[in-house]
Amino acid sequence: MAYQVIGIGNAIMDVIAPTTDAELDRLGIHKGIMQLIDRERSEFLMAARETSDQRSRLIPGGSVANTLAGIGRLGLRTAFIGRVAEDDLGRAYARDMASDGTDFVNPPVAGAALPTSRSIIYVTPDGERSMNTYLGVSGDLDRSDVDPTLFSDGTWLFLEGYLFDKDEGKAAFLKAAEACHAAGGKAGIALSDPFCVDRHRDDFRRLVAGPMDYVIGNVHEWQSLYQVDDLDEALNQAAAVCETVVCTRSGQDAILIRGAERVTAPVHRMTPVDATGAGDQFAAGLIYGLATGKPLAVAGRMGCIAAAEVIGHVGARPEADVTALFRAEGLV
């Protein structure tokens, strides 16, 4: 099968766990924050869910995985390169990604030293989400997980900045970008997190100036990358070396630059029900627009529409027909 968009990222199973404030206190969970936890803590929390009166939902997650789900629902053929273990969560992750329209191309790893990554997300009746994330085996992704034959003419590649914390992940990214370009495709990355940029600034700058054809970041990430307080200065530095530069600004119009072309994409200001996934679905709408040859301003608007849809409900993946939303604005 010829894939139109291929993504590489953390394969994290989201365990959506309805709960109460009393249970959060009993389990020692800080309400409303995301914290990284170790394997022992994750197994303790998973065991606690098994004895809970309220059933958990399992939803394949991870930033790029969410983006691919959005792109797949818009009708493009998508594949996800990630690593899960041969365990119950890993098998469920691969199966559920496929059932949602994205091929999970790497078989679960038999005999993996670490289990499948998971984020146990406790949701209280007031809608607050308390995330407890164990990175597990997904962070061990390396060059061996990338199959160059997956790429064909016109394939768009999307990478997750979070995986840049390990040298093996960096090597996998470069191998994928090389295969993508060899097949005539376009490669891009989401900067993901200003702290991640801080840790790997020189490497990220080399990516922006080299193998990446498009880069998506928010205000803080771009400013961190170039260590400047002026956003325009940061974006101008990026645009001087990268084909397409995209900046999201929470609650404000997105900025998109391609060569001499600079446009803004208007956002529909609203009070979010759940901001989780806003960046992921912005990327989905944007990449869909770019991959289908839409003008830069239209692709940016598609990103804003997809982001607005997902923050209007709980969960990181679209529930409405986003294509219909595009059609209502005359974009398709």
Side-chain angles (χ1 to χ4, degrees):
M1 174 183 290
Y3 295 111
Q4 292 163 286
V5 182
I6 295 174
I8 302 180
N10 279 304
I12 301 175
M13 180 66 86
D14 288 343
V15 182
I16 310 297
T19 192
T20 62
D21 288 320
E23 186 178 17
L24 292 184
D25 290 340
R26 181 176 62 81
L27 295 173
I29 294 170
H30 298 290
K31 184 175 180 178
I33 68 168
M34 193 286 278
Q35 58 182 353
L36 295 177
I37 58 176
D38 60 21
R39 180 174 182 173
E40 182 179 4
R41 175 68 170 164
S42 77
E43 291 175 352
F44 168 77
L45 294 179
M46 291 293 287
R49 292 310 305 163
E50 293 179 5
T51 60
S52 173
D53 293 334
Q54 301 188 75
R55 295 188 60 184
S56 301
R57 288 188 300 141
L58 301 180
I59 302 175
S63 178
V64 165
N66 291 333
T67 295
L68 289 172
I71 295 171
R73 292 179 191 185
L74 289 167
L76 300 189
R77 296 183 301 279
T78 58
F80 182 59
I81 296 171
R83 184 178 284 201
V84 298
E86 178 65 57
D87 54 24
D88 289 344
L89 284 184
R91 287 187 289 270
Y93 191 99
R95 180 182 64 246
D96 292 350
M97 283 289 289
S99 67
D100 203 26
T102 295
D103 287 348
F104 190 83
V105 297
N106 303 91
V109 179
L114 298 174
T116 295
S117 310
R118 75 286 308 264
S119 183
I120 307 162
I121 305 170
Y122 287 88
V123 184
T124 44
D126 60 3
E128 283 278 6
R129 294 159 68 89
S130 308
M131 303 173 68
N132 301 264
T133 302
Y134 169 60
L135 294 179
V137 75
S138 70
D140 289 343
L141 183 131
D142 61 28
R143 287 176 54 87
S144 68
D145 294 299
V146 178
D147 179 1
T149 65
L150 295 173
F151 296 87
S152 58
D153 186 32
T155 297
W156 285 70
L157 172 67
F158 188 47
L159 308 171
E160 183 176 311
Y162 287 123
L163 266 179
F164 221 63
D165 266 327
K166 292 187 177 181
D167 289 341
E168 293 83 358
K170 297 176 187 177
F173 281 6
L174 293 175
K175 180 180 178 181
E178 182 179 339
C180 177
H181 287 142
K186 298 284 189 181
I189 193 170
L191 296 178
S192 294
D193 183 286
F195 300 108
C196 189
V197 172
D198 285 340
R199 290 191 294 271
H200 307 285
R201 183 172 289 106
D202 290 343
D203 283 336
F204 270 121
R205 285 188 181 182
R206 280 191 287 270
L207 274 181
V208 173
M212 296 298 103
D213 302 295
Y214 66 99
V215 181
I216 304 170
N218 64 28
V219 174
H220 305 296
E221 291 156 1
W222 284 116
Q223 290 173 331
S224 173
L225 183 63
Y226 292 105
Q227 295 179 284
V228 296
D229 293 326
D230 185 272
L231 176 61
D232 283 338
E233 182 179 346
L235 296 182
N236 288 338
Q237 287 192 53
V241 294
C242 183
E243 180 180 317
T244 302
V245 171
V246 181
C247 179
T248 59
R249 301 181 295 166
S250 180
Q252 299 183 61
D253 296 352
I255 299 171
L256 302 93
I257 306 172
R258 184 167 59 192
E261 181 183 12
R262 178 176 174 135
V263 300
T264 57
V267 300
H268 176 63
R269 291 169 179 81
M270 58 185 292
T271 300
V273 174
D274 176 9
T276 307
D280 303 340
Q281 295 312 317
F282 174 86
L286 173 79
I287 295 169
Y288 172 82
L290 294 175
T292 54
K294 301 296 183 186
L296 190 61
V298 172
R301 181 63 185 139
M302 287 177 162
C304 292
I305 291 170
E309 188 283 332
V310 81
I311 67 174
H313 57 77
V314 174
R317 298 187 176 190
E319 292 182 352
D321 182 346
V322 179
T323 301
L325 300 178
F326 292 167
R327 189 175 298 114
E329 293 211 13
L331 303 180
V332 293

